[in-house]
Amino acid sequence: TVCAASTPLSRLSFSASKLRDMDALSKSDPMLVVYTKMDGRLEEIGRTEVILNSLEPLWITKTMINYQFEIVQPLVFRIYDIDTKYHNTPVKMLNLAQQDFLGEAFCNLSEIVTKFNHSLSLNLRNGSGHALQGTMTVHAEETASSRMAVEMTFHCLNLDNKDTFSKSDPFLRVSRLSESAVAIPICKTEVINNNLNPVWRPITLTSQQYSSRDDPLLVECFDFDASGNHELMGALQTTIAQLENLYKSKAGANFYSKKGQKKLKGQLFLDTFQEKVQHTFLDYISSGFELNFMVAVDFTASNGDPRTPQSLHYIDPSGRLNSYQQAILGVSEVLQFYDKDRRFPAWGFGAKMPQGPVSHCFNLNAITNDCEVVGFEGIMSAYSSTLYSVSLSGPTLFGPVINKAAEIASHSAQYGNNRYFVLLIITDGVITDEQETKDSIVRASDLPLSILIVGVGNADFTQMRTLDADLGKRLQSSTGRVATRDIVQFVPMREVQAGGQVTVVQSLLEELPGQFLEYMRTRGIKPQPPQHASAPPAYPPPPQL
């Protein structure tokens, strides 16, 4: 079952300590302003109230922000001392240039939400970046609606057959209808082969995906086609409230043909409907769960001679990043905050070693010959130095690096369940070991592991799409075993860059929180309970009688 991860809404609250005193006869009257940074520009997203006469303000006004796992979300906080003559002016109307600047602080939203108690303290700085007296603390809290969800089990009867020589292979897709009636897909079931009366595994929709119980949803049934041109078998418009009534009545709802012109004989039924509160991705992350990043780089000869500008591996003296560097930097920038020690295993494959044969899994870090490097700077450095110490060769094999990553994930899972691994493979070509790769992925689908594949250059990547189960069919091994879950996300860099709406990194990472949650929930792994320090009582105990 594939469901789009919802975007949790975070509520930010603020306090500060030991602020500078800018007033002669009293203490400062501080107000805090919150900005996000987009493409180098600051965009204001909230202001607190003004606290009178305080160098230790605890503001009541909160700022709401959508947490998006797949992008870096820089935040800037600025504190001002509001002049007495403006105390009756609404805070939104205040001209900040007329107020005294008390300092600013910076962080990324992911740095806050990954903390055990969702709180981060920051030192204040002046406009030039020099340290100032005082600190501020920002606390993030998910809104309660982030945890509400509905689990439903669907089955159908009497679907119209769309195939000539066999029966159709149906799957359901659920979409939210926007105000302009555009269908935004939020969830789909697995494909049931050769069956006109299918029963699917349960699907779960969060309240953020369906918005409210009375907002319109579109349920469509398709006959799966490997080309991606799935044929519509029927559709109906409904709501969560109507689906609940359908479950209670035990009746079926008729599908309609395209645009609802004709009622069809095929019907949709609900076998289960259960509202529940479930743990979110941030519940796990803030309670100590980690995403451990790993990267594997393609050094096959089809990339071209790294010393020539035509090569996909060419390192431009002007500092312009090649496709490999863009993918490494983009993904590691997002994931580094979820990996506490920032030590990342980094491998290469498809190159002939200086004194040896072709290797399909070698450590990028040739200096220490340790598979780990420190930070994304370590990956970038090891990548560029390796380029000139090996000979690009071939063929392109994924199996060895996937098996290596799976070995690390398997070993870790034996000693605890709070680490989840993410392997990024960057490649320019078609793999030679397609069946071995599928076998490796199917075996790894039982492990705390996701695989991100970026295709660079202009090769035909049709074969890669079969590794990504987004089309609806799960991978099958040479022995007939089916993957327990979809763990691969493939993105061709040229297509995403041509589309321009989202970045390659966003496309790569959008399914990762969902894959993480599916692994944890199916194994009954729960977040660790918060560990509160024993604080002194707020009030003295009542006197003993």
Side-chain angles (χ1 to χ4, degrees):
T1 305
V2 180
C3 290
S6 54
T7 303
L9 197 60
S10 285
R11 184 189 290 115
L12 303 182
S13 51
F14 315 96
S15 62
S17 181
K18 297 180 181 172
L19 294 179
R20 288 185 300 160
D21 195 353
M22 305 294 280
D23 294 355
L25 302 174
S26 63
K27 293 176 182 167
S28 295
D29 306 316
M31 177 186 82
L32 184 139
V33 186
V34 190
Y35 303 87
T36 57
K37 209 170 188 178
M38 300 289 288
D39 302 321
R41 296 190 322 273
L42 289 184
E43 181 183 326
E44 185 180 316
I45 59 169
R47 294 185 182 192
T48 66
E49 77 278 18
V50 178
I51 303 274
L52 299 181
N53 270 331
S54 177
L55 304 182
E56 308 278 330
L58 178 62
W59 290 283
I60 293 172
T61 307
K62 312 288 191 278
T63 295
M64 306 299 284
I65 184 169
N66 281 327
Y67 162 76
Q68 292 176 271
F69 165 77
E70 64 274 17
I71 62 173
V72 178
Q73 293 176 276
L75 297 173
V76 177
F77 309 99
R78 289 181 177 163
I79 301 176
Y80 295 88
D81 174 22
I82 307 304
D83 194 294
T84 309
K85 64 185 176 194
Y86 298 112
H87 284 180
N88 291 325
T89 306
V91 291
K92 296 276 187 211
M93 307 295 291
L94 287 171
N95 182 345
L96 299 176
Q98 296 169 337
Q99 317 304 326
D100 287 327
F101 179 62
L102 293 177
E104 65 182 3
F106 314 88
C107 72
N108 292 306
L109 182 57
S110 50
E111 291 179 81
I112 307 167
V113 298
T114 52
K115 290 289 178 283
F116 218 83
N117 57 359
H118 287 211
S119 289
L120 182 66
S121 289
L122 302 163
N123 292 319
L124 294 178
R125 302 183 176 279
N126 65 14
S128 310
H130 295 110
L132 288 173
Q133 177 185 322
T135 61
M136 66 155 289
T137 299
V138 54
H139 176 75
E141 180 184 22
E142 270 189 277
T143 57
S145 63
S146 303
R147 293 176 176 80
M148 290 307 299
V150 174
E151 183 180 276
M152 297 174 285
T153 308
F154 290 103
H155 81 263
C156 285
L157 290 179
N158 304 318
L159 292 174
D160 286 335
N161 194 16
K162 300 292 182 183
D163 292 354
T164 311
F165 301 109
S166 62
K167 291 176 183 164
S168 293
D169 308 320
F171 70 93
L172 294 179
R173 184 175 74 192
V174 182
S175 303
R176 186 177 75 248
L177 290 175
S178 68
E179 289 178 9
S180 54
V182 174
I184 302 159
I186 53 177
C187 202
K188 61 186 176 187
T189 66
E190 77 278 18
V191 176
I192 304 287
N193 289 329
N194 212 23
N195 196 326
L196 300 180
N197 301 298
V199 181
W200 290 279
R201 284 194 290 268
I203 64 167
T204 301
L205 300 183
T206 68
S207 59
Q208 286 174 304
Q209 290 171 322
Y210 63 75
S211 294
S212 87
R213 291 174 58 85
D214 298 311
D215 281 359
L217 298 174
L218 180 66
V219 180
E220 297 165 291
C221 185
F222 291 95
D223 178 18
F224 175 85
D225 190 298
S227 69
N229 298 320
H230 312 306
E231 191 171 356
L232 185 68
M233 301 176 74
L236 63 93
Q237 188 173 319
T238 184
T239 65
I240 289 293
Q242 288 169 348
L243 289 172
E244 183 177 23
N245 289 335
L246 196 65
Y247 164 70
K248 287 176 178 173
S249 69
K250 300 299 178 195
N254 280 85
F255 279 121
Y256 287 80
S257 62
K258 198 176 179 75
K259 293 191 168 54
Q261 301 132 332
K262 188 175 100 180
K263 186 191 277 193
L264 304 173
K265 69 176 192 290
Q267 287 189 310
L268 178 77
F269 294 81
L270 265 88
D271 297 329
T272 64
F273 181 98
Q274 183 185 4
E275 289 188 278
K276 59 184 184 179
V277 176
Q278 60 181 10
H279 295 297
T280 65
F281 176 69
L282 287 183
D283 287 337
Y284 286 92
I285 294 301
S286 63
S287 76
F289 283 70
E290 288 187 58
L291 298 179
N292 294 137
F293 179 49
M294 308 184 272
V295 64
V297 176
D298 182 339
F299 285 95
T300 54
S302 52
N303 283 282
D305 185 344
R307 290 164 293 195
T308 64
Q310 294 76 34
S311 170
L312 291 167
H313 279 307
Y314 179 66
I315 295 184
D316 194 326
S318 72
R320 186 169 168 269
L321 301 181
N322 66 33
S323 296
Y324 283 90
Q325 291 171 312
Q326 287 175 38
I328 291 168
L329 184 64
V331 175
S332 57
E333 269 188 332
V334 172
L335 293 183
Q336 62 178 329
F337 299 112
Y338 302 87
D339 193 327
K340 288 189 175 62
D341 65 3
R342 295 184 75 238
R343 295 183 65 84
F344 309 138
W347 303 291
F349 59 93
K352 189 173 186 304
M353 309 318 291
Q355 283 86 34
V358 173
S359 173
H360 300 292
C361 185
F362 57 89
N363 296 335
L364 273 194
N365 193 351
I367 300 167
T368 62
N369 202 26
D370 177 3
C371 79
E372 290 188 330
V373 296
V374 179
F376 63 81
E377 307 88 350
I379 304 175
M380 299 290 263
S381 170
Y383 161 69
S384 54
S385 62
T386 300
L387 265 178
Y388 302 110
S389 65
V390 299
S391 305
L392 272 56
S393 183
T396 306
L397 307 181
F398 278 10
V401 290
I402 293 175
N403 290 338
K404 186 69 178 173
E407 183 187 320
I408 292 173
S410 175
H411 184 262
S412 171
Q414 291 170 23
Y415 293 95
N417 55 23
N418 69 335
R419 297 175 76 191
Y420 190 90
F421 294 82
V422 182
L423 171 64
L424 170 66
I425 301 176
I426 315 166
T427 184
D428 83 313
V430 179
I431 50 175
T432 314
D433 63 338
E434 183 176 3
Q435 191 55 57
E436 290 87 346
T437 296
K438 286 180 178 178
D439 290 352
S440 298
I441 292 169
V442 170
R443 283 194 301 270
S445 67
D446 285 329
L447 298 170
L449 175 68
S450 285
I451 301 169
L452 313 174
I453 304 173
V454 179
V456 298
N458 296 312
D460 178 4
F461 289 118
T462 309
Q463 179 197 38
M464 292 292 179
R465 297 179 199 280
T466 64
L467 303 179
D468 187 333
D470 277 356
L471 288 176
K473 284 211 172 176
R474 295 200 179 180
L475 280 189
Q476 204 164 339
S477 74
S478 50
T479 61
R481 186 184 161 207
V482 177
T484 52
R485 59 195 182 94
D486 171 21
I487 64 169
V488 176
Q489 178 73 345
F490 168 70
V491 172
M493 191 174 267
R494 64 169 185 265
E495 288 181 22
V496 177
Q497 288 173 334
Q501 295 298 310
V502 293
T503 67
V504 172
V505 175
Q506 284 173 269
S507 302
L508 270 177
L509 295 178
E510 63 184 356
E511 290 185 10
L512 189 53
Q515 291 177 0
F516 171 95
L517 285 171
E518 185 181 7
Y519 176 83
M520 297 299 168
R521 287 171 182 164
T522 52
R523 279 153 185 78
I525 301 169
K526 293 186 166 49
Q528 296 161 2
Q531 296 174 357
H532 298 295
S534 53
Y539 301 99
Q544 294 275 323
L545 293 176

